[in-house]
Amino acid sequence: FPSHDSFVESVAYAPNGLAIVSGSRDRTVKMWGTDGVLLKTFYGHTDKVWSVAFSHDNHTIASAGFDRSIRIWDIEQGLISTFQGHGDVVHSIAFSPDGKNIASASRDTTVKLWVIRGTPLRTLMGHTDEIMAIAISPNSKFLASTCKDKTVNLWNANGTLQTILEGHNDKVNSVAFSPDSSTILTAAADASIKIWSTEGNLIDTISAHRAVS
């Protein structure tokens, strides 16, 4: 794809597989057909776009980044909401499976939950350093956030901290749930990938050759 005018920091597929969204340091969000044709460019961010996500209904895109805002875009109408509330860079965002809520993770050490039209729902406190990534389980029961402090926090849907996953030796940069929501995958700068149960037990460690970013 001809892509952006600067580094591309995040990409995501539409759940129906018909489109791709990308976010870049050039401050734009772009939507592409899978054949590489640029379908739309979304303007509005005032600094680097660090994370993008597609809603499960394929009609809504979320983006966030260095301007500390989270923006919600309708793929036809454009910008529909802007969330303000984080005190620093927003590193990661995720839609709830029903598309009604957004979770965001920030360098300000907090996770925030929002109603899709921009209403703050709650703030989750528990990390001691900047949060690198966030994921919501497919069954909507869990939320996982990874941190520069080497930990992963596993939260219940109501925002209660269920357990802290400890075992990485460097910042944890990425997290994902399995499709059946029973396991969590984490990747860190210690060159390892770890698999955990949602009860907080370490299942396996996969060693990599170099840091996983």
Side-chain angles (χ1 to χ4, degrees):
F1 296 7
S3 201
H4 294 269
D5 295 328
S6 187
F7 297 110
V8 178
E9 296 294 347
S10 183
V11 292
Y13 257 111
N16 62 10
L18 299 180
I20 298 167
V21 63
S22 57
S24 169
R25 293 190 184 192
D26 68 8
R27 306 180 183 183
T28 68
V29 175
K30 293 179 183 286
M31 186 173 70
W32 313 81
T34 53
D35 55 2
V37 174
L38 179 62
L39 302 177
K40 189 164 290 189
T41 300
F42 301 97
Y43 299 96
H45 281 286
T46 59
D47 208 332
K48 297 185 269 303
V49 180
W50 211 253
S51 183
V52 293
F54 238 115
S55 66
H56 292 262
D57 66 3
N58 305 291
H59 294 302
T60 311
I61 294 166
S63 59
F66 271 61
D67 63 6
R68 307 181 182 187
S69 73
I70 300 149
R71 295 173 189 266
I72 308 299
W73 315 84
D74 181 276
I75 63 171
E76 299 295 338
Q77 300 174 14
L79 185 66
I80 56 176
S81 295
T82 300
F83 305 175
Q84 301 281 358
H86 280 293
D88 211 325
V89 174
V90 183
H91 278 146
S92 184
I93 48 175
F95 276 98
S96 61
D98 63 9
K100 295 180 179 179
N101 300 316
I102 287 278
S104 58
S106 172
R107 187 183 285 174
D108 68 8
T109 76
T110 69
V111 171
K112 291 184 181 290
L113 304 180
W114 313 79
V115 177
I116 192 67
R117 290 288 172 176
T119 306
L121 198 57
R122 60 178 63 91
T123 299
L124 311 185
M125 310 285 290
H127 285 290
T128 62
D129 207 333
E130 59 186 281
I131 305 171
M132 308 305 296
I134 197 165
I136 299 175
S137 63
N139 64 6
S140 299
K141 292 184 178 180
F142 305 104
L143 185 152
S145 53
T146 74
C147 190
K148 195 174 180 179
D149 67 9
K150 310 175 188 178
T151 66
V152 181
N153 281 7
L154 183 63
W155 314 80
N156 291 321
N158 63 6
T160 302
L161 182 61
Q162 176 174 302
T163 189
I164 299 175
L165 310 181
E166 298 180 285
H168 282 293
N169 297 315
D170 207 334
K171 64 178 178 179
V172 189
N173 290 316
S174 186
V175 61
F177 283 92
S178 61
D180 65 1
S181 302
S182 66
T183 55
I184 305 163
L185 192 71
T186 57
D190 62 7
S192 76
I193 298 165
K194 293 183 182 290
I195 303 171
W196 315 78
S197 71
T198 49
E199 287 76 37
N201 300 313
L202 180 62
I203 297 171
D204 198 6
T205 298
I206 303 168
S207 295
H209 292 289
R210 57 183 178 179
V212 180
S213 61

